[in-house]
Each structure stands twice: as structure tokens, then as C-alpha cells.
Amino acid sequence: MARVAGPTGQSERTSGTVVRWLALAAGAAMIVGAGVIVAWRYVVEQPVHPLIDLDVYKRAGRDVLAGRFTYSSGGGELVFTYPPFAALAAVITAPLLQWWGQFLWTLASVAALVGVVWLSFRRAIDRVRSELRPLLFGAVCLLAILTRPFAEHVAMGQVNVFLALLCLLDLCATRRRWPQGALIGVAAALKLTPAVFVVYLVVTGRTRAARNAVASFLVCTASALVLLPAASVDYWTNRIFQGERVTGSVAYTSNQSLLGTITRLVPSPWTGAAWLAVALAILVVGFRRARAAYRVGDELGGVAVTAAVGLLISPISWLHHFVWLIPMLGAMVATGQDRVRDAWAALATVVLLLPVGWWGWALLDDDSHLLRVMGVLLHNGLTLLTVLLVLGYRPVSGDDVVGASGPEREPVRVAS
């Protein structure tokens, strides 16, 4: 009997190896193909100047090296608006030439997105047969690359996907060789919005990690103060408060934050009060959801809800900022057994793939009352979707989380 079983077992192993390699090749082809499509459409063929924000970073980096950086540095009509530490970091972009620089930045962006997808969908992917995991991973990466937020990220030469990767590594990596919170502090020193994860660490009872994040942020900021003293003083005493003058109109369609939507819908005398009330409610409910997720071991869910809260309460959340919703999609499909969660994830994916905001804008002046109402909903579609995802998120049970998300642990008790 052993002699008969041997060749059969060998044949099965060979077949499994072939399937695995085919799945790996197909998955890699999907990632490369999607990257080429987005790069060709939004870098090579787009009618406006490609990767214009990257030009701002390069100009800032070169000005730092030349000792002349100020907050008037920029490329074309745009100015540098990030914290001073980001100007120091922009030095790495200074040597990038026009076309090779755009190619390398786009390639790095795709690689960072692949990392974000892996950290966000690892639990779901680990539930399928091992031979098919590369194929599923490639398919998820393909959809993520084709989403409008990432396409905008590529077209503008933005940094959000890199910041998302830093925060996910800090919170969701199964093996961490640095103090938790350190990467969050670096991300917040580069751009202030990731500081929302410091609040997440506090409300989940991880005060040491929160202190690490603050310390990391202060070290980065202090280094910028030493090397760029005048620019640092200018930023922290003046530029940080200038908002719309340097970022653009809050009411612009691409701004899908709560403030953007409320500005478009609520008469100006009441805009501020309405925003504060809604933002406070989202903060309270959102962090309750995030804490509940962490307490049962659903770290990814807590991170995803926190990221969504950050998108909503930030005064400006341009379309390319919504790459931060990718962890939410991964958290929604983590169990692979809840059709309602899977349906919501599918709906969110469709919204991210389509230019719903611009469709809505085109309908606002239509003669049909019904189409105008539909236009208002679509015009603010990403905001409304993100609110629903925050308010409706329920953490997966501990039994469903254990496995792909890391080593088993007891539910965490957090003081109320």
C-alpha cells in the first residue's frame, strides 16, 4: 500500500506546487498590470501637470539643502504646507529628476499600497487555501490600485499611502522591532493627521505606546527646530492656523470631510456650529467603536475606525486621503462569514472605484428634483459612506480574530 500511496502523494504535492506558482504569477501580473494602467492614465496621459505635489516636495528638499527653505517654497502655484520635519524628509526627493523621479515615486507608492493591503487583508486571505492566497492577494491589490483615492494619490504624487503604511506597521505588524507608537509619532511629524492614532492608543489603555508616539513626534519636531529654526517658528505660530489659504476651498467637491460636506449643505452662519456638533458626536461614537474593537482583539477594526474618524473630523480630507479607508475594507471582510459585512465592503469598494462626487456635482443643477437630491447624495457620497462605516462598525468576535491577525491573547480590559 505504501508503494502505491507514494507516487500519488508526490503527484498531489507537485500539483499543489504548480497551482501555487501559477497563483503567484497571476497575482503578481494583476499588481503589475493595475500599476501600469494607473501610471499610464494618471501620469503619462493626464492633461494637467503630473505629480505636482511631488514637485513641491522636491523644491522644498532642494531649498533645505541650499539653506533657503521657507513656507513660500513650492512648485508652481503650490506652497509647502506640511510640518517642518516633512521639509527635512523631503530632502530624499531632491535628487529625483522629472521622469525618473515620477517613475520611482509611483513605483514606491504601489509598493507601499501592497504593504497596506497585506496588513489590512491578511486575516481574510489566510482563510483560503494556501495555494490560492497569492491569487486572492493580487486581486485585492488590483482593486486597491484602481480605486480613485489611490489613482489621485499617484496623479498628485502624494504621501498618504506611506503614512498609512507607517501607522499600520506600528499597530498591526505581528513582529515589531521598535517601541509601539514610535512610527505613529514619525507619521504625525510628517503630517499632522496621523496624530489621531495617539488618541486611539490612549482610549485603548496603551499609555506607554502613546508616550512613545508623543516622544517620537517631539524628537522629529525638535530636529526640525534645530535645523530649520525660522521655518519651524513660522509654521507653529502662523502657518498651521491658515487653513483654506494654503489648502484650497473647503467646499470643493474633492474635500469629503465633515466640514466640506457641511459647508456645502449648511448656510454659512451655522456651518461652524453644525460641524463642531457633528464632529464631536463622530469622535465620541467612533472612539467607543474603536475601543470596543480593541477589547475583543480586533486591532485592525480599531485602527480602521480611527482612520475613518480622522478622515471625517479633519477640516480637509481630499479624495487621495481616502486611501485610509482600505483598512476598513479589510476589517469588514476579515471573517469571510458575514454576508452583511461583505456586502458593505463591496458597496464601499464600488464607491471608491467610481467618481461619485463628480457625478453628483454634475447633477446639482438638473431640472429634476429627484436627480438633484441624488446629486446631493453622490456629491457627498464618500463622507456619507465613511459616517455609516464608523457608526455601523461592529468588531468581529475574538474567535474570528485569532489566527491570521497574530498570536492569541485574552480580551483587553480598558477602564471606562
Side-chain angles (χ1 to χ4, degrees):
M1 294 293 293
R3 294 179 180 175
V4 175
T8 301
Q10 181 66 33
S11 176
E12 290 177 353
R13 286 193 296 271
T14 302
S15 177
T17 300
V18 171
V19 170
R20 187 177 296 108
W21 278 105
L22 287 175
L24 182 62
M30 281 191 258
I31 295 172
V32 172
V36 169
I37 290 171
V38 168
W40 184 267
R41 170 64 181 85
Y42 291 95
V43 177
V44 178
E45 286 195 333
Q46 76 163 338
V48 296
H49 183 68
L51 280 73
I52 192 169
D53 286 337
L54 177 59
D55 284 349
V56 175
Y57 309 151
K58 290 191 295 184
R59 179 71 62 85
R62 291 165 185 169
D63 285 351
V64 168
L65 291 175
R68 59 171 182 265
F69 174 78
T70 70
Y71 274 91
S72 297
S73 300
E77 298 180 355
L78 300 181
V79 295
F80 192 84
T81 61
Y82 299 140
F85 180 70
L88 291 183
V91 168
I92 66 174
T93 68
L96 297 179
L97 300 178
Q98 187 70 8
W99 294 109
W100 276 107
Q102 291 174 2
F103 170 77
L104 292 174
W105 193 261
T106 301
L107 184 64
S109 296
V110 172
L113 183 68
V114 169
V116 168
V117 169
W118 173 245
L119 291 168
S120 302
F121 287 85
R122 182 178 53 205
R123 295 189 326 213
I125 290 170
D126 278 357
R127 294 181 181 278
V128 304
R129 288 172 49 194
S130 60
E131 308 93 273
L132 299 179
R133 288 172 191 168
L135 182 63
L136 179 58
F137 178 61
V140 175
C141 288
L142 181 148
L143 289 174
I145 291 170
L146 295 179
T147 58
R148 298 286 297 189
F150 184 70
E152 286 267 326
H153 170 98
V154 169
M156 302 296 292
Q158 260 290 333
V159 297
N160 290 287
V161 72
F162 302 109
L163 302 179
L165 180 60
L166 283 176
C167 294
L168 281 169
L169 283 171
D170 209 333
L171 292 164
C172 296
T174 55
R175 296 181 181 178
R176 191 182 304 108
R177 304 191 180 205
W178 57 87
Q180 187 174 49
L183 296 185
I184 290 173
V186 173
L190 291 169
K191 190 173 184 178
L192 295 178
T193 47
V196 71
F197 290 104
V198 179
V199 182
Y200 172 63
L201 291 172
V202 172
V203 301
T204 55
R206 289 174 282 183
T207 54
R208 177 178 295 179
R211 287 196 297 267
N212 292 338
V214 172
S216 176
F217 172 83
L218 291 176
V219 168
C220 293
T221 302
S223 67
L225 180 61
V226 170
L227 296 172
L228 302 171
S232 294
V233 171
D234 183 23
Y235 179 83
W236 293 112
T237 63
N238 181 24
R239 303 289 175 164
I240 192 174
F241 304 110
Q242 291 186 353
E244 187 167 315
R245 191 189 73 80
V246 294
T247 60
S249 173
V250 171
Y252 186 53
T253 298
S254 186
N255 180 23
Q256 291 287 313
S257 68
L258 281 175
L259 181 58
T261 291
I262 290 172
T263 301
R264 290 189 287 268
L265 297 179
V266 178
S268 57
W270 304 99
T271 300
W275 175 63
L276 286 174
V278 177
L280 180 61
I282 290 293
L283 272 172
V284 172
V285 175
F287 280 116
R288 285 173 64 92
R289 295 278 189 267
R291 184 176 68 170
Y294 177 75
R295 293 175 70 172
V296 300
D298 185 9
E299 178 83 279
L300 178 63
V303 171
V305 171
T306 301
V309 168
L311 289 169
L312 291 171
I313 66 172
S314 174
I316 299 290
S317 287
W318 300 127
L319 180 57
H320 53 78
H321 294 173
F322 283 80
V323 293
W324 285 96
L325 277 189
I326 290 175
M328 178 66 78
L329 302 181
M332 296 293 288
V333 301
T335 68
Q337 300 170 352
D338 190 324
R339 293 184 179 180
V340 174
R341 295 170 69 94
D342 293 346
W344 273 103
L347 173 63
T349 301
V350 170
V351 172
L352 291 174
L353 286 168
L354 300 175
V356 292
W358 301 108
W359 289 352
W361 177 76
L363 294 173
L364 293 179
D365 295 325
D366 197 277
D367 293 335
S368 168
H369 179 69
L370 178 61
L371 289 179
R372 286 200 303 274
V373 171
M374 185 179 298
V376 170
L377 294 175
L378 292 175
H379 194 209
N380 303 287
L382 263 180
T383 310
L384 298 175
L385 172 68
T386 307
V387 168
L388 290 175
L389 291 174
V390 169
L391 298 182
Y393 187 81
R394 297 295 183 273
V396 295
S397 68
D399 290 341
D400 289 329
V401 174
V402 170
S405 59
E408 185 172 359
R409 65 176 182 174
E410 293 295 322
V412 179
R413 298 183 181 275
V414 180
S416 300

